[in-house]
Amino acid sequence: MTGKPRVFVDRRIPDEVQQVLEESCELDVWQGEDTIPRDELAARLAHAEGYMTMGRRIDDELLASAPRLKVVSTVSVGYNHFDIEAMKRRGVVGTHTPEVLDETVADLAFLLMLGAARRVAELDAYVRRGEWKRGDGTQLFGVDVHHATLGIIGMGRIGEAVARRAALGFGMKVQYYNRSRRMEAEEKYGAVHTDLDELLATSDFVLLLTPLTPATKGLMGAREFSLMKRSAIFVNASRGATVDEPALVAALRNGTIRAAGLDVFDKEPLPAGHPLTTLPNTLLLPHIGSATTKTRDDMAMLAARNLMAVLRGEAPPHMVPEFKAVTP
Ligand code: DGY
């Protein structure tokens, strides 16, 4: 025994992050290529005081197998995989990694808009199949992003980073739906606060960035898609469960909306043969919003700092807001 707190990390982490953790913790890192099996995870957590993860479901049953646990530090801004009430009952706090990924996720949201508008995946496949035999024809045409109207649902820091690109770089009109007004986005990017139905009815691109909460689960369903313009494109860079997926498939199939760019799905990894994969008007990515080397390294380092701060009895840089009221 070293006297240092025991910490378990369920995936490989950058060397510098490992070194920082090893200075003050007794570290155990899962080296498997695949996700750690549930019973193995429970065994590794039996003596751990800290757990660093990326998206593992933290429920009461798992917590019961980790009686010494004080903190779960997720390497993500989203924390919908935390059962907050169970964690509070068992005296475990949660931390997350906002801010360091804002610009990277905003880049990806923009890529999904551009890629769906200009049919990038579909036309890349067309070239690879050797079907490009003549100059272009109308069958290859897409729609413009520049000077179109963008509606952002969930205007947090990532939304503001997208709004900046849209307004200042692409001359787009930006409108947004959010519980609270974002005065900086209004002043700097001319963003207009609207209600949800108006945003849906008047946007050329509808971008979903809201966190997944009980209030946002299934936020986009058949009614919402039917309110969108038939020429509009839907983009989701939040969480899959914010969308009623069968309703989205129907809207794409029936021409209720033009196309979709999606980085997140109800079930991930997206099962082979899923209806979304059979539609030509979808651009599908494997949940890579924050996945650049630098940003993921920064997220891992921030997660390590969050975790160590809690174990030292200090306020971490980024406690999940729901825990702020219960900690000193
Ligand atoms: C996040 O950090 O929540 C992003 O979705 C990447 O997982």
Side-chain angles (χ1 to χ4, degrees):
M1 287 285 287
T2 61
K4 293 177 179 176
R6 293 189 187 195
V7 168
F8 178 63
V9 182
D10 68 9
R11 61 166 60 200
R12 282 186 218 136
I13 47 176
D15 289 347
E16 316 81 75
V17 180
Q18 181 146 343
Q19 276 161 22
V20 165
L21 283 168
E22 274 167 351
E23 279 164 23
S24 53
C25 311
E26 196 180 315
L27 193 62
D28 177 15
V29 181
W30 174 248
Q31 297 295 337
E33 290 294 337
D34 294 331
T35 307
I36 182 169
R38 176 87 178 194
D39 47 353
E40 178 68 27
L41 175 60
R44 301 281 187 114
L45 289 179
H47 302 285
E49 283 152 75
Y51 174 28
M52 194 164 129
T53 183
M54 190 167 191
R56 189 74 187 219
R57 176 91 194 128
I58 307 298
D59 55 22
D60 198 56
E61 191 191 334
L62 185 68
L63 292 168
S65 62
R68 298 168 61 88
L69 200 63
K70 293 191 175 71
V71 54
V72 181
S73 172
T74 185
V75 189
S76 62
V77 62
Y79 52 87
N80 49 291
H81 49 293
F82 286 176
D83 179 339
I84 305 263
E85 290 315 313
M87 290 170 74
K88 281 184 180 171
R89 269 198 311 276
R90 292 183 181 271
V92 177
V93 299
T95 63
H96 67 146
T97 60
E99 296 178 12
V100 288
L101 46 54
D102 295 349
E103 298 295 332
T104 301
V105 178
D107 278 354
L108 191 91
F110 228 91
L111 177 152
L112 287 168
M113 282 166 42
L114 288 164
R118 300 302 295 270
R119 302 165 56 194
V120 164
E122 187 190 347
L123 297 183
D124 175 271
Y126 164 85
V127 173
R128 286 168 198 270
R129 283 195 307 269
E131 289 175 19
W132 184 27
K133 303 259 167 53
R134 290 185 301 278
D136 68 2
T138 54
Q139 80 279 8
L140 307 186
F141 288 4
V143 292
D144 283 330
V145 174
H146 68 87
H147 298 96
T149 297
L150 167 62
I152 300 177
I153 302 175
M155 187 70 137
R157 286 176 305 265
I158 296 171
E160 289 196 11
V162 174
R164 170 162 36 81
R165 287 160 174 73
L168 306 187
F170 284 73
M172 297 178 87
K173 177 178 171 213
V174 178
Q175 45 191 13
Y176 72 101
Y177 169 67
N178 201 54
R179 270 180 312 186
S180 55
R181 296 271 296 269
R182 304 290 294 208
M183 299 319 292
E184 207 175 307
E186 296 193 15
E187 281 152 24
K188 286 190 176 162
Y189 316 127
V192 177
H193 188 249
T194 65
D195 68 32
L196 181 59
D197 288 3
E198 188 187 339
L199 179 144
L200 293 170
T202 56
S203 297
D204 301 308
F205 293 84
V206 171
L207 169 59
L208 193 52
L209 285 173
T210 180
L212 175 60
T213 67
T216 62
K217 192 167 191 298
L219 178 72
M220 288 297 296
R223 188 191 83 86
E224 287 71 27
F225 289 119
S226 74
L227 289 176
M228 286 174 62
K229 296 184 190 180
R230 292 180 84 80
S231 56
I233 290 176
F234 174 67
V235 171
N236 191 3
S238 64
R239 286 292 182 268
T242 50
V243 174
D244 174 348
E245 238 166 46
L248 173 59
V249 169
L252 288 162
R253 204 172 259 152
N254 303 337
T256 306
I257 63 172
R258 179 185 177 90
L262 307 169
D263 186 42
V264 290
F265 305 90
D266 207 9
K267 183 167 174 15
E268 296 179 2
L270 189 66
H274 187 284
L276 284 168
T277 66
T278 66
L279 298 171
N281 51 347
T282 55
L283 172 56
L284 311 174
L285 293 176
H287 199 152
I288 51 154
S290 62
T292 65
T293 305
K294 176 171 187 318
T295 293
R296 282 291 173 82
D297 286 359
D298 290 349
M299 289 166 69
M301 188 60 90
L302 177 54
R305 295 199 188 288
N306 279 331
L307 180 136
M308 291 186 305
V310 175
L311 293 179
R312 281 196 301 263
E314 296 166 6
H318 289 290
M319 179 86 83
V320 161
E322 282 85 340
F323 292 99
K324 284 186 180 153
V326 295
T327 48

